[in-house]
Amino acid sequence: MIEARLSSVQRRTVARAGLDDIADKVVSEQRLSYEDGIRLFASPDLAAIGALANLVRERLHGDLTYFNRNIHINATNVCEASCIFCSFARLEEGMPAAYTMSIDEAVGRIAALQDAFITEVHIVNGLHPGLPFSYYTDLLRAIKAARPDLHIKGFTAVEMHYYAQKYGMTYAQVIEALREAGLESMPGGGAEIFHERARRKLCHDKVDAEGWLEVHRTAHRLGMRTNCTMLFGSIEKNEERVDHLVRLRELQDESLAARATDPSKGWFQTFIPLKFHNENNRLARLSAPTGHDALRTIAISRLMLDNIPHIKSYWIMLGQDIAQLSLSYGASDLDGTVREERIYHMAGAQTPQELTRNQLIHLIRAAGRIPVERDTHYNVVAEA
Ligand code: V47
């Protein structure tokens, strides 16, 4: 969109950081290797890495910066899995702070927003051992009946895998049944870190990397667009972050190749690096990831994921300041207004529960970018 060039000052910064050869690849649109990713994570030179990521961001999107108006529904936090980074889940019904919404209650939260303009509901739930599959299809149908205009993005690959096992269905059957009830796209949660060593420590009893990728592969094959994530800043090593990014890139290559022959296929729309929050969970002993780490992870993600259109800075967990700065380090999306977020707030996030449309627009404009309100599929709702 914008000619990809580094200024002479940026060239010198990159050279001083010893990243000249990587810069050459970025400028000439060559794919970065796993080893390049390792070198980028080994470099403390955020200015150099940021300049390269910004070049890619502007080549793809110019100054355009996307957001939407959405609400999160976490219908239950009862969850059989024992992920050690999670502050949201409760193992069983009846434990302190455990909850499961009735369908009426969940729909009531959306119906209460009749006047507030939103375009998307984001649904993520715990792995509840006692609910029938019909709870989820009824929930989707009831939301669609109350607000047919809303796009429903919901159910992580972890949930889909759990339902497949629990209710004796294939991934495709789970996805089709949820879609039939109103599901339109999938969020990127549950990917955490794919590498076996880190995954065993973080979340040994939920879907493994292959399963997570297979659910998204199936969704793409069935024509559904999905997102992808990486939980960074807990116990993973830099090599494991790069491995994670490369595995996502490989699946996206497959999905885009299928799409080249059949445009009805799905793909990853956006990658969301999720910054670890260390309160009220079993990793509270760890230091919180720094702003420097957040910005370089966003920037390196932009550089490595050359086939995923957007890098989303989820302001809820990054904080507004880092999310805004990230718009110069590779990010092209700020997620949305996000009402009623629970997963991060139970883990200590200090951000508000909601930003208004005007507040998001202010953050974007003050960073010298152009705000664009989008729907879930990145159609323009309004140029702000
Ligand atoms: O998978 C849980 C993460 C994810 C913590 O697709 C934590 O548009 C940090 O996937 N510290 C769920 N992270 C949220 C998610 C998401 C969010 C926004 C947009 C989209 C999208 C997806 O939250 C989980 C896990 O990786 N998480 N606990 C924690 N203490």
Side-chain angles (χ1 to χ4, degrees), residues 298-319:
I298 290 165
I300 297 169
S301 305
R302 179 61 287 165
L303 291 168
M304 293 299 294
L305 298 174
D306 53 9
N307 55 5
I308 298 188
H310 291 281
I311 306 295
K312 183 191 279 191
S313 269
Y314 187 42
W315 61 265
I316 286 269
M317 55 89 163
L318 290 171

Side-chain angles (χ1 to χ4, degrees), residues 85 122 153 187-190 192 227 231 272 275 277 312 344 347:
F85 54 84
H122 167 120
K153 174 182 76 174
E192 322 311 358
N227 293 341
L231 175 68
I272 308 135
K275 178 171 171 261
H277 273 267
K312 183 191 279 191
Y344 290 102

Side-chain angles (χ1 to χ4, degrees), residues 70 72 84-88 120 122 124 153 156 158 186-192 206 212 226-232 270 272 274-279 281 312 314 316-317 335 338 341 343-344 346-348 374:
N70 56 352
H72 283 214
I84 58 173
F85 54 84
C86 185
S87 322
F88 167 71
E120 174 192 280
H122 167 120
V124 171
K153 174 182 76 174
T156 63
V158 174
M186 274 176 65
E192 322 311 358
K206 74 181 184 193
W212 190 97
T226 72
N227 293 341
C228 51
T229 58
M230 172 174 78
L231 175 68
F232 72 92
T270 185
I272 308 135
L274 296 167
K275 178 171 171 261
F276 168 64
H277 273 267
N278 65 351
E279 286 180 36
N281 57 44
K312 183 191 279 191
Y314 187 42
I316 286 269
M317 55 89 163
D335 198 79
V338 191
E341 201 288 328
I343 296 177
Y344 290 102
M346 287 174 86
R374 62 165 174 85

Side-chain angles (χ1 to χ4, degrees), residues 148-201:
D149 56 311
L150 292 185
H151 176 111
I152 307 181
K153 174 182 76 174
F155 303 96
T156 63
V158 174
E159 292 160 80
M160 301 262 194
H161 170 84
Y162 180 74
Y163 305 152
Q165 286 205 321
K166 189 171 174 60
Y167 307 112
M169 299 159 86
T170 63
Y171 292 157
Q173 285 168 336
V174 172
I175 294 168
E176 290 289 24
L178 295 174
R179 181 151 73 175
E180 161 89 12
L183 185 71
E184 285 156 291
S185 66
M186 274 176 65
E192 322 311 358
I193 291 285
F194 291 144
H195 194 281
E196 231 248 307
R197 184 207 69 91
R199 198 167 187 88
R200 206 172 41 238
K201 291 193 171 182

Side-chain angles (χ1 to χ4, degrees), residues 364-379:
I364 295 168
R365 287 222 176 103
R369 300 298 197 190
I370 301 168
V372 180
E373 183 175 350
R374 62 165 174 85
D375 66 13
T376 311
H377 283 160
Y378 287 83
N379 299 306

